[in-house]
Amino acid sequence: MNWRAIRAVVRRDLTLVRQSKAVMIPLVTVPLVLLVILPLVATLAPNYVNIPGLDDLDALLGQMPEDVRAGLAGAGDQERLVVLLTVYLFAPLFLLIPTMVANVIAADSFAGEKERKTLEALLYSPMTDREIVTAKLLAPWLAAMAVTFVGFVLYAIVVNGGAWPVMERIFFPTPMWLLLVLWVAPAVAALGLGGAVLVSLRVGTVQEAYQLGGLVVLPVVALMVSQATGLLFFTTTVVFVIGLLVWLLALGLLLIAVRSFDRPRLTVQA
């Protein structure tokens, strides 16, 4: 493997991403809304607004696993509401970030280059198929991880700062969230990456790649619905199992995407 050539392609792709407003706008605005604005509203609202439905918290907590209920035992209604929102209900929402970032950048990796007529030079380079695919996979995955980790730090600052009047302590991150960020987030990024690359290899425009590659967010949406309806709550064990399943699915999808790389066909399309 020529890692010098791979690093050059990764740097080139990431530079193109930074220069593209169509890519950068969602990469900035979506994490800003999900990881800063929404948690800030959720943590500050109990201080200034009489939240309806607090009387139903006991009924909602009764649906949670025993270890979750034990962690909230003895807490006030406002404290329990803050923890419920920021630690549990927002957890699957956080997974949209690595999925979205990997999907957007990976969709641009092949389909975007075909659309801009810049893929041909790469295909005629002395790089092997394996080196080209590795570089094209690394760029969006590294970008997704960078945005995810920065977003997580911002989320922790906002949550602890906004909830300080209610919690009066630093309560975030929890072990479950650390596992979510370090184990599950890389997996869902790889899942979004595999789906987007597989699609972008077969379509001719970035818009088509965005639309079809976006289907990989459906498992994340399913997790959000399950958590919101009480069918599934994110505990440390549940998060580990989810991460394992997503990794298996992502690796299978990436393997299919790599095997779908057809240099002669792409050369003709370019």
Side-chain angles (χ1 to χ4, degrees):
M1 294 282 281
N2 186 347
W3 286 104
R4 183 176 180 181
I6 291 172
R7 287 194 297 270
V9 174
V10 169
R11 286 195 299 268
R12 169 182 170 272
D13 284 358
L14 294 179
T15 299
L16 290 175
V17 167
R18 291 195 300 268
Q19 294 174 347
S20 174
K21 291 183 179 179
V23 176
M24 286 301 298
I25 289 176
L27 294 190
V28 173
T29 56
V30 174
L32 183 64
V33 171
L34 295 183
L35 303 180
V36 176
I37 297 177
L38 284 182
L40 187 61
V41 171
T43 53
L44 292 178
N47 298 312
Y48 303 103
V49 181
N50 185 19
I51 307 294
L54 286 178
D55 293 338
D56 297 330
L57 274 179
D58 289 334
L60 180 60
L61 289 171
Q63 303 175 13
M64 293 183 174
E66 178 62 32
D67 55 344
V68 176
R69 295 199 303 270
L72 295 175
D77 285 345
Q78 288 187 334
E79 186 174 347
R80 289 188 295 174
L81 179 62
V82 167
V83 173
L84 180 65
L85 289 174
T86 60
V87 175
Y88 295 103
L89 294 185
F90 283 178
L93 195 65
F94 177 82
L95 294 178
L96 285 177
I97 301 302
T99 309
M100 182 272 297
V101 174
N103 186 275
V104 168
I105 299 178
D108 190 68
S109 64
F110 286 105
E113 295 235 37
K114 285 190 284 185
E115 195 172 357
R116 293 187 297 267
K117 305 299 182 183
T118 58
L119 182 61
E120 187 175 7
L122 182 61
L123 295 174
Y124 280 115
S125 71
M127 294 180 67
T128 65
D129 291 357
R130 185 180 177 186
E131 290 167 350
I132 292 175
V133 173
T134 299
K136 286 295 188 180
L137 292 175
L138 270 179
W141 190 82
L142 291 174
M145 289 298 92
V147 174
T148 297
F149 292 144
V150 171
F152 171 67
V153 172
L154 289 175
Y155 184 82
I157 294 173
V158 169
V159 165
N160 285 306
W164 185 267
V166 173
M167 306 297 294
E168 297 183 344
R169 59 187 174 88
I170 295 176
F171 70 100
F172 188 91
T174 65
M176 182 271 287
W177 262 87
L178 293 176
L179 191 62
L180 188 77
V181 173
L182 299 176
W183 172 243
V184 184
V188 297
L191 181 64
L193 174 62
V197 170
L198 185 61
V199 169
S200 62
L201 283 171
R202 300 178 182 275
V203 300
T205 66
V206 176
Q207 190 62 36
E208 290 177 297
Y210 285 165
Q211 293 173 348
L212 296 175
L215 294 175
V216 297
V217 305
L218 292 179
V220 177
V221 174
L223 290 175
M224 293 170 57
V225 173
S226 299
Q227 179 104 318
T229 56
L231 295 177
L232 177 69
F233 281 100
F234 277 26
T235 63
T236 303
T237 302
V238 169
V239 167
F240 177 81
V241 173
I242 289 175
L244 181 61
L245 294 177
V246 175
W247 268 119
L248 292 175
L249 182 60
L251 291 175
L253 198 59
L254 285 171
L255 183 61
I256 295 173
V258 170
R259 290 181 175 177
S260 299
F261 182 80
D262 188 340
R263 196 165 186 164
R265 179 177 60 83
L266 289 172
T267 303
V268 172
Q269 292 178 351

